[in-house]
Amino acid sequence: MSPPNISPLWTSEEIERATLGRASAPFTVTGLAIDSRKLQPGELYVAIKGENKDGHEFTANAFENKAGAALVSKSVEGGPTITVAHTQRALEDLARAARARSAAKIIGVTGSAGKTTTKEILKLAFEALGQTYASGASFNNHWGVPFSLANFPREAAFGVFEIGMNHFGEIRNLVSFVRPHIALVTTIAPAHLEFFGNCEAIADAKSEIFEGLMPGGFALLPVDSPYCERLRARAKQIGVTNILTFGSAQCADARLISVEEAASGIRLKAEIQGKAIDAVVGAPGAHIASNTLGALLAVSVAGGDAEMAAATLADFAPLKGRGARIKAGNIEIIDESYNANPASMVAALALLSKAPGRKVAVLGDMLELGPQSPDLHAGLAAHLAAADRVFLAGSNMKSLADVLSGASYAANSAELAPLVTEAVRDGDTVLVKGSNGSRMTVVIDALKSRFGG
Ligand SMILES: Nc1ncnc2c1ncn2[C@@H]1O[C@H](COP(=O)(O)OP(=O)(O)OP(=O)(O)O)[C@@H](O)[C@H]1O
Ligand SMILES: [Mg+2]
């Protein structure tokens, strides 16, 4: 993943200084890679020891793919190396050094759903103002955040970083690398409930992001969330004084005035810190409107022109597995197979209810919800009134199947797929959604091979 750099991302001397490592020869690199298969020529291959594999096994492959150098903790052959005591720690050292040398405005994004979506909206919006770098994919964990920062171009004017967690203390650690000027919480919802037990605890864990704010930094909160006041109280405790909100409540600093459907997306009217905005966003849904408000509020508090930034958002497109539309012959698939929790399920079902043709919901398990899981699954029944056909897969979805008459049920997505392909007809819109582990992509593949596309 090479960002477009004007000067090299790192010189060997800089890496030596940051990591206290030793370079075998002078070199420069244009980016970093931890997967040798995805490495671009000229990048630094970082050999991380994972749970199953040790990245040192793939240094030969990295050099075959023209790595500029390899960052290692054992001796390897094939090209220039920098040897450090521990590669994960060295990645963190580089992250801190990248952050320290940057004069950019930094935005950190967390929340139970919508982090990547909001990060991508922020990236488009801030690009209207200056060179913007955003972390790749969903790189939001103990290696993803340092990796993203270590890839941060020195010239960038803005940096957008996704920060995730499934335990207390995780965000506290990650935000210490990011040190954002603006911390945005997208939403609080029952995700990872298995560990946390309740949403108050989830809000508290997300609030750790405020601990890493730069002095004078901004906390941006989702005003329509029932946990907004708890987030505010936590931010205040931490000493944050600039606390602003986005959403549809009258008091919001970024306030939604209206949202209506527009060509493959939404047109929203809003007031961002007193400034009227009229924007088309190239993806549908109330959750996209909320994420957009948060992003435009970030632009505004960063001193940017929210109107100019908003003008870029027609180019936003729903992301793969998170609302991307797939035309397969004469049917339309809404691909929501990447993840699911009660909040994103409700958002996606609201979208389906407005879709053309017969509305078919194909839902897989929402994972990691703990003891409340049966109730949370059964509770989706209230949001399925508009669906013409409902297909459910997985042991958790059994709780919904039990209370929903007329739904077709199978133990897993592979067994469900033929039932779906048999029932779907030309003109239907088919929402396919579930946690990644429920493997709902199997259904999408089956629909594609049946209908084409
Ligand atoms: N503000 C929101 N509120 C509720 N649901 C949302 C919101 N934004 C996006 N979603 C839904 O959540 C799903 C996941 O979105 P996204 O990948 O952006 O989340 P994430 O927080 O990055 O997830 P992860 O923790 O897996 O990285 C999307 O498919 C969409 O349906
Ligand atoms: Mg993500």
Side-chain angles (χ1 to χ4, degrees), residues 114-117 119 137-140 162 322 338-339:
K115 294 181 291 296
T116 301
T117 307
K119 176 201 73 176
S138 250
F139 292 158
N140 65 23
E162 175 170 342
R322 306 168 182 90
Y338 170 73
N339 73 8

Side-chain angles (χ1 to χ4, degrees), residues 109-439:
V109 182
T110 194
S112 304
K115 294 181 291 296
T116 301
T117 307
T118 304
K119 176 201 73 176
E120 293 299 326
I121 295 174
L122 282 161
K123 180 163 190 271
L124 267 179
F126 274 99
E127 265 166 1
L129 312 178
Q131 188 186 332
T132 303
Y133 171 84
S135 38
S138 250
F139 292 158
N140 65 23
N141 64 4
H142 69 279
W143 64 261
V145 172
F147 176 74
S148 303
L149 268 167
N151 259 304
F152 190 31
R154 59 184 95 213
E155 303 84 4
F158 301 100
V160 184
F161 296 93
E162 175 170 342
I163 304 177
M165 62 97 197
N166 42 35
H167 291 94
F168 284 115
E170 212 169 337
I171 292 182
R172 177 173 296 142
N173 175 44
L174 296 175
V175 76
S176 76
F177 297 110
V178 178
R179 292 194 288 126
H181 301 94
I182 301 169
L184 190 161
V185 180
T186 58
T187 189
I188 300 297
H192 309 300
L193 208 52
E194 203 161 77
F195 174 79
F196 286 104
N198 57 62
C199 284
E200 283 77 6
I202 294 173
D204 291 347
K206 301 287 181 198
S207 301
E208 291 172 8
I209 195 170
F210 308 133
E211 296 176 23
L213 267 178
M214 296 292 282
F218 291 83
L220 309 189
L221 312 181
V223 74
D224 302 318
S225 165
Y227 305 98
C228 184
E229 288 316 305
R230 193 170 182 102
L231 292 169
R232 185 195 300 279
R234 287 295 185 201
K236 273 190 183 157
Q237 273 180 345
I238 291 160
V240 181
T241 51
N242 300 315
I243 303 174
L244 282 79
T245 59
F246 59 93
S248 49
Q250 193 65 29
C251 61
D253 299 284
R255 182 171 68 90
L256 183 66
I257 296 169
S258 69
V259 55
E260 59 192 53
E261 281 176 58
S264 70
I266 47 174
R267 165 172 228 118
L268 62 85
K269 291 191 170 49
E271 205 176 271
I272 313 290
Q273 295 197 294
K275 187 167 184 178
I277 301 285
D278 187 343
V280 171
V281 187
H287 57 297
I288 296 290
S290 173
N291 297 339
T292 302
L293 287 174
L296 294 179
L297 183 57
V299 167
S300 179
V301 302
D305 181 341
E307 198 173 5
M308 205 160 90
T312 65
L313 299 181
D315 291 339
F316 180 75
L319 311 171
K320 187 173 188 297
R322 306 168 182 90
R325 304 279 174 138
I326 303 169
K327 267 249 166 268
N330 286 325
I331 68 161
E332 177 148 292
I333 304 168
I334 307 176
D335 175 7
E336 283 271 358
S337 57
Y338 170 73
N339 73 8
N341 61 41
S344 69
M345 273 289 188
V346 170
L349 291 171
L351 261 188
L352 179 68
S353 72
K354 296 189 188 125
R358 282 198 322 161
K359 300 161 210 348
V360 181
V362 186
L363 309 180
D365 287 344
M366 304 183 286
L367 301 174
E368 292 183 42
L369 291 179
Q372 293 176 48
S373 178
D375 285 348
L376 290 167
H377 281 82
L380 294 177
H383 301 275
L384 280 159
D388 297 295
R389 289 294 309 266
V390 179
F391 294 86
L392 305 171
S395 52
N396 298 286
M397 275 298 169
K398 185 79 176 60
S399 305
L400 177 56
D402 288 345
V403 296
L404 199 67
S405 60
S408 304
Y409 174 80
N412 56 51
S413 60
E415 286 175 28
L416 190 70
L419 308 184
V420 177
T421 52
E422 217 164 275
V424 166
R425 297 200 302 255
D426 281 356
D428 288 356
T429 299
V430 188
L431 166 72
V432 183
K433 186 163 179 74
S435 287
N436 212 2
S438 68
R439 298 178 43 78

